[in-house]
């Protein structure tokens, strides 16, 4: 066993670590501990960034939903306003048409009254002219004074009868 080179290699290895192990172990452990701390800090930072990103995603999603709801409300409001405007325009058009129709009826009635008045006046003028011609042809020349005197005499009775 003392002559075996493996034995002496093992003894040298153990002695090396006994003598220099503590001085080698401390820097090695501190380097590994430092690296572990950096990794832990990076993981904490990554977790913090992930939470921030999730919060930003939630905020963006909430803002997007609010914007969609607002846009939907605006569209619905616009459609209601358009329907109200169209209804008002239809009512205004109906009112205008009714007023124009009434104005046309009034003008037609006025024209009818005017035409009737003209026809009556013309009929009266023709009747008066015919009566003159008939009276002139059938009555002698001195009879017109008697007729006028008789009409003047009957006038008070005709006026009192008409007033009653």
């Amino acid at each position: 066993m003392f002559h075996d080179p493996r034995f002496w290699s093992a003894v040298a290895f153990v002695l090396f670590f006994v003598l220099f192990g503590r001085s080698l172990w401390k820097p090695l452990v501190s380097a590994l501990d430092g690296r572990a701390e950096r990794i832990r800090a990076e993981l904490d930072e990554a977790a913090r960034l992930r939470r921030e990103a999730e919060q930003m995603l939630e905020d963006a999603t909430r803002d997007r939903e609010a914007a969609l709801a607002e846009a939907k409300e605006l569209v619905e409001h616009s459609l209601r306003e358009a329907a109200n405007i169209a209804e008002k325009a239809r009512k205004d058009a109906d009112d205008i048409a009714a007023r124009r129709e009434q104005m046309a009826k009034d003008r037609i009635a006025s024209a009818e009254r005017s035409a009737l008045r003209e026809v009556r006046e013309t009929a009266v003028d023709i009747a008066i002219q015919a009566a003159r011609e008939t009276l002139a042809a059938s009555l002698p020349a001195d009879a017109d004074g008697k007729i006028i005197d008789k009409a003047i005499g009957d006038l008070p009775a005709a006026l009192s009868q008409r007033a009653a």
Side-chain angles (χ1 to χ4, degrees):
M1 149 157 144
F2 292 119
H3 294 296
D4 188 12
R6 281 183 280 171
F7 171 73
W8 290 111
S9 292
V11 169
F13 184 72
V14 169
L15 278 177
F16 176 76
F17 274 107
V18 168
L19 293 176
F20 296 110
R22 205 174 272 167
S23 62
L24 289 174
W25 190 255
K26 284 183 184 178
L28 185 61
V29 168
S30 67
L32 289 174
D33 284 344
R35 184 166 181 202
E37 281 300 316
R38 275 183 283 141
I39 290 172
R40 195 172 296 118
E42 288 176 2
L43 286 174
D44 290 343
E45 179 68 15
R48 185 185 64 79
L49 289 174
R50 180 182 174 133
R51 283 191 303 271
E52 286 179 9
E54 287 174 350
Q55 183 63 39
M56 290 172 72
L57 177 62
E58 288 176 12
D59 292 344
T61 302
R62 193 171 34 253
D63 290 345
R64 183 180 62 89
E65 289 172 358
L68 286 174
E70 185 178 349
K72 183 179 178 183
E73 179 61 31
L74 284 174
V75 167
E76 290 173 358
H77 178 71
S78 297
L79 290 174
R80 285 192 304 269
E81 283 296 317
N84 289 341
I85 290 170
E87 181 65 22
K88 185 176 183 286
R90 187 188 60 75
K91 285 181 182 179
D92 289 347
D94 289 346
D95 291 345
I96 290 171
R99 278 195 307 268
R100 287 186 178 170
E101 180 181 1
Q102 186 60 42
M103 287 172 49
K105 286 179 181 179
D106 291 345
R107 280 188 283 208
I108 290 171
S110 174
E112 285 176 354
R113 286 190 302 270
S114 175
L116 283 174
R117 187 175 54 247
E118 287 179 22
V119 168
R120 284 183 186 148
E121 289 174 359
T122 304
V124 167
D125 289 343
I126 291 172
I128 290 173
Q129 185 64 32
R132 278 189 190 146
E133 290 174 4
T134 304
L135 288 176
S138 64
L139 290 179
D142 61 344
D144 60 348
K146 293 179 188 177
I147 292 175
I148 291 174
D149 290 338
K150 181 175 186 309
I152 290 174
D154 293 341
L155 187 62
L159 288 177
S160 66
Q161 191 178 28
R162 186 170 247 195

